């Protein structure tokens, strides 16, 4: 209900169609996450309140962590998902289809405080219905979209399969695009040319050369593309 699609041009020149998630599946994902967060807080409260005022301090810190930081952390390390999004097969991506990173995840989650106004995400719902991409204010500020996870696999269909390797240094979106483009085009290039290009980004491959450098970069491309 109330879902639509978004066309994204990938670095490889492929037009990717993302199926955007509307208010209903996102509300269901939020309800699952809320139940889990409430369970965590209640479990901590059961133990912590035995220690009086100090226990209340622990409860308040736990509440802050699970409400504001935990969702952002999960979206960063778990391919744009929280448990609720995983159940509903949703994921958060950047506008260009790349995986969301910590700054974007934190921004969109902190702004839930505004989206929630005046109650039950009233502002967020109005914002989503007014946006063709179903963006609440947090998504607008962070430059993110929420999509159905199954659609994301189309983005990496031409990247050679390899064990995913996390880049050793943070990469900008432009650098991520360049890495994805190299992996995408590797099948059309000679092995010698691929190895020559793979040796150029020294911060990523270190002292590796030739086929080992190429294999490492393709593994990083799989990581960026969201393959597990």
């Amino acid at each position: 209900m109330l879902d639509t699609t978004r066309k994204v041009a990938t670095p490889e020149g492929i037009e990717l169609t993302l199926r955007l998630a509307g208010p209903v599946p996102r509300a269901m994902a939020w309800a699952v996450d809320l139940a889990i967060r409430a369970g965590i807080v209640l479990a901590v409260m059961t133990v912590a309140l035995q220690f009086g005022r100090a226990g209340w301090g622990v409860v308040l810190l736990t509440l802050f962590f699970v409400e504001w930081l935990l969702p952002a952390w999960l979206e960063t390390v778990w391919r744009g998902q929280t448990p609720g999004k995983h159940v509903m097969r949703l994921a958060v991506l950047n506008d260009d289809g790349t995986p969301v990173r910590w700054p974007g995840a934190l921004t969109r989650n902190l702004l839930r405080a505004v989206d929630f106004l005046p109650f039950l995400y009233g502002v967020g719902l109005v914002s989503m219905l007014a946006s063709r991409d179903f963006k609440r204010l947090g998504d607008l500020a962070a430059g993110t979209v929420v999509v159905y996870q199954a659609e994301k696999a189309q983005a990496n269909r031409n990247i050679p399969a390899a064990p995913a390797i996390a880049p050793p240094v943070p990469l900008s979106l432009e650098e991520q695009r360049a890495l994805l483009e190299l992996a995408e085009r590797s099948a059309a290039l000679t092995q010698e040319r691929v190895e020559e290009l793979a040796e150029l980004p020294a911060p990523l491959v270190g002292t590796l050369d030739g086929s080992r450098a190429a294999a490492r970069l393709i593994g990083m491309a799989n990581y960026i593309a969201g393959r597990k």
Side-chain angles (χ1 to χ4, degrees), residues 43-59 62:
V44 172
M45 185 180 298
T46 300
V47 177
L49 291 187
Q50 300 179 29
F51 299 94
R53 291 185 176 180
W56 272 112
V58 172
V59 171
T62 301

Side-chain angles (χ1 to χ4, degrees), residues 50-72:
Q50 300 179 29
F51 299 94
R53 291 185 176 180
W56 272 112
V58 172
V59 171
L60 292 175
L61 288 174
T62 301
L63 181 61
F64 176 81
F65 174 76
V66 302
E67 182 64 25
W68 303 112
L69 300 183
L70 181 60

Side-chain angles (χ1 to χ4, degrees), residues 5 20 34 41 45 75 77-78 97 100 115 119 125 139 150 156 159 169 171-172 174 182-183 189 196 203 211 214 217:
T5 58
L20 301 170
L34 178 63
V41 173
M45 185 180 298
E75 289 176 355
V77 302
W78 199 14
V100 67
D115 282 312
F119 58 87
L125 179 60
D139 291 314
N156 49 43
I159 296 177
V169 296
L171 299 178
S172 66
E174 291 73 18
L182 173 61
L189 300 175
E196 178 184 358
S211 60
L217 289 187

